Amino acid sequence: MSSHSIPSIRASTRSAQFSLTYPQFAEIRRSPGTINTPMGRQEASQQKEMQTMLELTPLQREGEASEIATAVAFLLSDDASYISGIDLRVDGGTVANLEKVKQ
């Protein structure tokens, strides 16, 4: 798993909301869940936490690289021109579900 925690990524995103790199661009992060790629499969085979995350994913499947690409393409499009300073979770509901499981 990444050395960055979800809360620290969110805090970083919040602090960068108004820190514009270019006048028309604000920092946007995307947070993928478990993704069906060679690297994702390798990580899943080596870390039991990855299997636990998948089991807790409401959609009960890994995401596909094309699903991440579609989200990024939207964020780069004119349709997302008013979006800034967000952490877009493309994770099948994993993070939201983890917060429920902890309660």
Side-chain angles (χ1 to χ4, degrees):
M1 294 196 136
S2 170
S3 62
H4 303 290
S5 70
I6 300 285
S8 70
I9 291 171
R10 286 189 196 138
S12 175
T13 300
R14 278 193 297 273
S15 70
Q17 282 182 356
F18 300 105
S19 173
L20 303 179
T21 305
Y22 300 101
Q24 75 281 9
F25 179 78
E27 185 171 340
I28 297 174
R29 297 181 190 268
R30 51 108 189 105
S31 297
T34 53
I35 305 302
N36 182 23
T37 62
M39 190 168 112
R41 288 188 295 275
Q42 179 182 4
E43 188 173 355
S45 71
Q46 295 172 355
Q47 297 185 31
K48 66 178 183 171
E49 293 89 355
M50 296 299 290
Q51 183 59 39
T52 300
M53 280 181 59
L54 185 58
E55 290 168 2
L56 293 174
T57 300
L59 293 182
Q60 294 293 297
R61 66 174 180 84
E62 293 176 311
E64 297 296 328
S66 62
E67 292 170 307
I68 303 302
T70 300
V72 171
F74 167 72
L75 290 172
L76 294 172
S77 75
D78 289 340
D79 291 334
S81 64
Y82 204 62
I83 296 174
S84 66
I86 66 163
D87 178 12
L88 179 62
R89 296 178 187 164
V90 186
D91 68 355
T94 302
V95 171
N97 200 42
L98 287 174
E99 292 171 2
K100 291 178 187 175
V101 170
K102 288 180 184 179
Q103 294 176 358

